[in-house]
Amino acid sequence: MADDQQELLQDPTMRAWWLDSDEFPAGGSVADALRFCVRYAVLAPSGHNAQPWWFHVDGTSVTVGLDVTRGLPVLDPDDRESLMSVGAAAFTLRVALAHFGFPVDVSTWPDPTDPHACLRLDVSGPGGVDAELDTLFDAITRRRTSRAAFYERPVPEDVMRMLVADAEQERATLSVIADQTRRLAVAELVSVADREQMSDRRFRRELASWIRPTHSHRLDGIHWHGSALAELLSAATPLVVRTFDLGDGEAARDHNLAVGSPLLAVLTTPADDRSAWLSAGQALGRVLLRAAASDLSVGYLNQPVEVEHLRPRLSETVRVPGVPQLLLRLGYGPLTPPQPRRPAEEVLGRA
């Protein structure tokens, strides 16, 4: 690890990343083990690093739910991306439980009286441990969201096939956009969406509210070292974002990222409802950990999915089955620092 990366991980706001599997409470109860594994689940990705999840441990089960107080009403009015974040956290929890020897039975919407209880992981049911999940365990603490340009090195075909297969295991489809004409068309859609989002004052205010200044001690939000706007803005980022429409600059930057990425892929689901969004999140979790295990960097170009009237155009452009949920760029790139996370103790319990 580079010296600057090592120094960053000594930052107290990064304490959630300081994990040691040797501290697993081997002599404790199942509930103790579940609470320990939640420490890994909180390292999952989320939009604006909002971390819109809660976990409730009850004996031999843990429920993963949606924290609606941490939603993004302008960017994500239907909680689509928030539910995908919950799904990604649940998948990360599945990997941790597999590593520590727990078979898991997963059920969705386990409480008909609580629409925010999304998934329940029960470790007391029949069946064996998923050994395939265990192979992804070390990638949990290595996974990052990259906002940097990637190197020109191509992604090997066998790695691409593994990523596609991973998405399928979670009832989603990952389709590679290989045709250069379509790649350019997708890049243009990203640019158009950037301009539309940044021209919306409500969007800018919401984004600014999640951007943290340098040396902030907050454990959520987009911190300066990871901001996609770092090349354009000063330490006054939140004020600048709220006040000025920087859409042209963002559009140009993201267009270049799209065109310059060795691999563009769209994650789709057969349906477009709350259950599909949870599936997409679990598929995302599996794909991201597989990518990290393969030393791949991953970034997002979700703007054409987030702008409602552009979503059908994205679907028409990429010509793949299902409903687009995420647009990913993948490749090999520089080391990226992590974003802070709230500790497990803060998210254990109802929001």
Side-chain angles (χ1 to χ4, degrees), residues 173-175 177 264-268 314 318 320 324-328:
T173 301
L174 185 72
S175 301
I177 307 170
L264 287 182
V266 60
L267 184 74
T268 62
L314 176 64
V318 297
V320 297
Q325 303 294 351
L326 295 162
L327 180 60
L328 307 177

Side-chain angles (χ1 to χ4, degrees), residues 79-130:
D79 291 324
R80 183 183 64 86
E81 291 193 10
S82 290
L83 285 169
M84 284 193 283
S85 299
V86 170
F91 180 81
T92 307
L93 181 57
R94 287 168 54 194
V95 172
L97 288 168
H99 177 75
F100 292 110
F102 290 95
V104 173
D105 181 45
V106 182
S107 56
T108 57
W109 313 115
D111 185 351
T113 67
D114 186 355
H116 300 137
C118 301
L119 300 118
R120 187 178 68 231
L121 282 62
D122 193 324
V123 302
S124 63
V129 174
D130 189 335

Side-chain angles (χ1 to χ4, degrees), residues 186-267:
V186 168
E188 182 57 31
L189 282 178
V190 171
S191 297
V192 171
D194 268 330
R195 292 188 180 95
E196 290 205 23
Q197 286 184 327
M198 293 301 287
S199 68
D200 185 339
R201 292 183 180 179
R202 298 174 308 130
F203 175 86
R204 296 203 307 270
R205 284 197 297 268
E206 182 175 85
L207 174 60
S209 72
W210 287 97
I211 295 177
R212 309 300 181 221
T214 308
H215 307 307
S216 169
H217 295 296
R218 291 287 299 272
L219 299 178
D220 59 7
I222 307 167
H223 286 241
W224 180 248
H225 58 258
S227 173
L229 303 173
E231 298 173 8
L232 301 174
L233 304 174
S234 69
T237 302
L239 175 62
V240 174
V241 169
R242 281 194 302 270
T243 308
F244 300 104
D245 178 357
L246 300 169
D248 287 343
E250 278 295 278
R253 178 185 181 280
D254 288 341
H255 186 281
N256 290 338
L257 287 177
V259 172
S261 295
L263 189 64
L264 287 182
V266 60
L267 184 74

Side-chain angles (χ1 to χ4, degrees), residues 268-288:
T268 62
T269 53
D272 192 29
D273 55 25
R274 290 165 64 84
S275 295
W277 302 337
L278 289 179
S279 294
Q282 293 192 79
L284 174 66
R286 190 185 282 263
V287 167
L288 293 182

